[in-house]
């Protein structure tokens, strides 16, 4: 089982739609959680950190479920500019090393 | 406020050669992490430097080594290049805490022929 798993997509949605991505992680001792956005052939850019209480930033809402070991990202009122790959990132200790583990990413295409 | 910078942007090498990639962290950051991102994959953690020492390391062979300078900039060295080393190499900077948010540079795209 991969340490961080995401559905690779692509998710093709019309403008204005609501779309949700899930990400599961295997290390129950994980301590930090993030969503990054990556455009084609560019570097990942931080979208938002994810907290146990959940957090919202405009059209974006992130949730963390520690009991089930997954995090989610909800995008409301999708825009064409939201088309990108969304990377789930989980930080924690593995074999004594603290590191960030990235999922393979979920591709989103917002269609006009 | 300067973000994370990396050089060069692109590099072409042949098998067996050695390469050095460079990174300057975001202003105010003292920690640099390096990642390898193969096509269609998420970034894979190589190692992290803090206070001029390697603090954490991922599952990469000793052919991958690094250095951090007193000004917090960093280098990634890869020896005896293999075709499979072709990837986007990303540098991320953060503050000293292990759980601090990382900010990425634009990356260096390495092609090994």
């Amino acid at each position: 089982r991969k340490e961080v798993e995401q559905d690779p997509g692509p998710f093709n949605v019309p403008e204005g739609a609501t779309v949700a991505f899930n990400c599961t992680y295997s290390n129950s001792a994980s301590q930090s959680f993030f969503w990054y956005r990556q455009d084609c052939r560019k570097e990942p850019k931080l979208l938002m950190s994810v907290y146990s209480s959940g957090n919202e930033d405009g059209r974006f809402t992130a949730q963390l479920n520690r009991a089930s070991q997954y995090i989610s990202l909800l995008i409301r009122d999708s825009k064409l500019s939201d088309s990108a790959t969304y990377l789930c990132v989980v930080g924690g200790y593995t074999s004594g090393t603290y590191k960030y583990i990235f999922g393979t990413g979920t591709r989103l295409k917002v269609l006009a | 406020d300067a973000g994370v910078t990396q050089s060069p942007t692109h590099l072409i090498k042949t098998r067996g050669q050695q390469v050095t990639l460079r990174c300057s962290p975001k202003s105010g950051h003292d920690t640099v992490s390096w990642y390898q991102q193969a096509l269609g994959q998420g970034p894979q953690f190589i190692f992290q430097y803090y206070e001029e020492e390697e603090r954490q390391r991922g599952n990469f062979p000793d052919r991958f080594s690094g250095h951090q300078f007193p000004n917090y900039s960093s280098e990634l060295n890869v020896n005896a290049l293999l075709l499979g080393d072709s990837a986007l190499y990303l540098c991320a900077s953060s503050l000293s805490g292990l759980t601090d948010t990382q900010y990425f540079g634009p990356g260096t795209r390495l092609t090994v022929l």
Side-chain angles (χ1 to χ4, degrees):
Chain A
R1 182 185 172 189
K2 288 184 180 179
E3 293 177 272
V4 176
E5 291 201 72
Q6 294 182 253
D7 182 341
F11 284 58
N12 296 322
V13 302
E15 268 187 294
T18 295
V19 61
F21 308 136
N22 282 335
C23 165
T24 59
Y25 60 95
S26 61
N27 182 1
S28 59
S30 296
Q31 299 179 20
S32 53
F33 308 87
F34 307 90
W35 283 102
Y36 278 77
R37 170 199 169 122
Q38 187 171 28
D39 293 290
C40 188
R41 302 181 76 81
K42 298 283 190 181
E43 74 273 25
K45 295 195 172 178
L46 178 68
L47 184 64
M48 55 201 308
S49 303
V50 189
Y51 306 111
S52 296
S53 55
N55 46 305
E56 187 175 310
D57 182 2
R59 299 181 293 110
F60 299 83
T61 300
Q63 297 276 352
L64 166 62
N65 186 318
R66 284 187 183 272
S68 300
Q69 294 180 209
Y70 77 82
I71 67 174
S72 64
L73 177 67
L74 182 77
I75 305 175
R76 290 180 298 278
D77 188 22
S78 298
K79 311 290 184 192
L80 293 175
S81 57
D82 293 334
S83 297
T85 296
Y86 290 83
L87 295 162
C88 166
V89 185
V90 176
Y93 280 99
T94 304
S95 302
T97 297
Y98 192 97
K99 55 184 179 179
Y100 289 93
I101 308 295
F102 282 73
T104 55
T106 298
R107 274 206 303 153
L108 171 67
K109 292 184 181 179
V110 181
L111 308 172
Chain B
D1 181 19
V4 182
T5 60
Q6 291 186 246
S7 63
T9 53
H10 294 85
L11 204 51
I12 299 175
K13 292 285 189 178
T14 55
R15 279 178 297 176
Q17 285 190 308
Q18 178 265 343
V19 69
T20 297
L21 311 181
R22 295 176 177 82
C23 170
S24 290
K26 184 177 165 67
S27 177
H29 286 182
D30 58 8
T31 302
V32 172
S33 302
W34 286 93
Y35 292 83
Q36 180 195 68
Q37 186 175 24
L39 204 59
Q41 301 296 315
Q44 300 288 313
F45 176 71
I46 303 174
F47 43 52
Q48 183 182 78
Y49 276 84
Y50 170 68
E51 291 189 340
E52 301 180 49
E53 290 193 357
E54 184 183 288
R55 177 164 70 172
Q56 307 283 344
R57 188 177 182 94
N59 298 325
F60 278 79
D62 292 344
R63 296 187 298 110
F64 290 77
S65 63
H67 189 77
Q68 185 178 35
F69 299 94
N71 67 353
Y72 309 122
S73 67
S74 176
E75 288 182 349
L76 164 66
N77 300 295
V78 188
N79 293 325
L81 285 167
L82 304 173
L83 295 179
D85 295 332
S86 296
L88 178 68
Y89 287 85
L90 294 160
C91 165
S93 79
S94 57
L95 289 172
S96 51
L98 288 172
T99 62
D100 284 338
T101 304
Q102 298 188 347
Y103 295 87
F104 285 84
T108 294
R109 191 163 297 279
L110 173 65
T111 301
V112 182
L113 303 177

